[in-house]
Amino acid sequence: MKQCLILFALLLVIFSSSCQQEKKASGDNVTNIWTSFLSDLEAEDKEAFKNSSAETIRCYDCLENTPSEVQQMSILREQDSLWYDKIYEDLIYIPIDSFIANDYDILFNPQFINILQENETVYLSEQKEGITYAHILVTTTPPTVFFEGGQHSFSFVKEPNGYFKLTEISTIP
C-alpha cells in the first residue's frame, strides 16, 4: 500500500510539472504571437497584417468608426426589425481587404499602437473542440472613480498549418 501511495505521489508530481511546462510554453507562444502582431502594426506592414489575419475579422467597432457609418447603423436600427441579427450574424464580419482599406488606418493609428505596446496586457489561450485560440487583452482605458475602464481584445485561432490568424477585435465593456 505504501508503495502505491509513493508511486501515486510521484506520478502526481510528474503530471503537475508537465502541465506547468505546457502552460508556460502556451503562454510564451501567445506572447510571441502578440509581439509579432505589434511589430507588423508598428511597421505599418499591411501585407503582413493581411497574412496574419483570417479572411474575415469580427469587429463591431468597424461598423461605426466614421460619422457616415454611425448614421447608417442608426437608420438600420430604426428601419429594420431584424437589425440585431443582421449586425451580429452578417455585418460584424469584415472581409480582410475591406478592413485594410476602410478600418486599418482608423483603428491602428500611432497613438493606439503605442497604447497596445505600453499598457497592461493579459495573455490567454484555450482549446475548444480541438481548436486552439489565443486571446490578448490590453487595457486601453484605465479605470477611474467614475468608469470601470476598458480593454481591447484580440483573438487569434490556430490554423492547421500551425500559424495563428487574427479573427476578432473587440472591446470590453
Side-chain angles (χ1 to χ4, degrees), residues 42-103:
E42 188 172 34
E44 298 180 24
D45 189 343
K46 292 179 182 178
E47 190 63 33
F49 178 86
K50 181 177 180 175
N51 291 336
S52 66
S53 299
E55 290 181 18
T56 62
I57 297 176
R58 187 177 193 276
C59 179
Y60 181 85
D61 289 344
C62 296
L63 300 178
E64 295 185 304
N65 59 14
T66 66
S68 65
E69 290 175 341
V70 170
Q71 184 179 12
Q72 289 172 347
M73 293 302 289
S74 179
I75 291 169
L76 176 68
R77 287 183 185 102
E78 290 172 6
Q79 296 180 355
D80 191 337
S81 63
L82 299 175
W83 65 268
Y84 187 89
D85 294 336
K86 193 173 281 188
I87 289 172
Y88 286 98
E89 292 175 9
D90 181 31
L91 299 177
I92 199 169
Y93 296 97
I94 313 297
I96 187 61
D97 290 329
S98 176
F99 179 91
I100 290 171
N102 301 315
D103 301 300

Side-chain angles (χ1 to χ4, degrees), residues 21-157:
Q21 288 175 354
E22 183 177 316
K23 185 176 180 180
K24 183 180 185 303
S26 175
D28 289 346
N29 193 23
V30 176
T31 305
N32 291 339
I33 293 164
W34 186 240
T35 301
S36 177
F37 182 75
L38 287 178
S39 177
D40 292 342
L41 292 179
E42 188 172 34
E44 298 180 24
D45 189 343
K46 292 179 182 178
E47 190 63 33
F49 178 86
K50 181 177 180 175
N51 291 336
S52 66
S53 299
E55 290 181 18
T56 62
I57 297 176
R58 187 177 193 276
C59 179
Y60 181 85
D61 289 344
C62 296
L63 300 178
E64 295 185 304
N65 59 14
T66 66
S68 65
E69 290 175 341
V70 170
Q71 184 179 12
Q72 289 172 347
M73 293 302 289
S74 179
I75 291 169
L76 176 68
R77 287 183 185 102
E78 290 172 6
Q79 296 180 355
D80 191 337
S81 63
L82 299 175
W83 65 268
Y84 187 89
D85 294 336
K86 193 173 281 188
I87 289 172
Y88 286 98
E89 292 175 9
D90 181 31
L91 299 177
I92 199 169
Y93 296 97
I94 313 297
I96 187 61
D97 290 329
S98 176
F99 179 91
I100 290 171
N102 301 315
D103 301 300
Y104 181 94
D105 291 327
I106 294 171
L107 181 61
F108 296 118
N109 61 58
Q111 295 82 10
F112 187 65
I113 293 170
N114 187 56
I115 288 170
L116 296 178
Q117 293 170 325
E118 300 296 326
N119 286 14
E120 178 185 4
T121 305
V122 176
Y123 304 95
L124 306 168
S125 62
E126 66 177 331
Q127 225 177 12
K128 287 184 188 175
E129 299 176 8
I131 299 172
T132 303
Y133 298 90
H135 306 286
I136 292 92
L137 308 172
V138 182
T139 300
T140 51
T141 307
T144 67
V145 174
F146 304 104
F147 180 63
E148 65 186 308
Q151 293 179 314
H152 273 74
S153 171
F154 299 84
S155 296
F156 298 80
V157 66

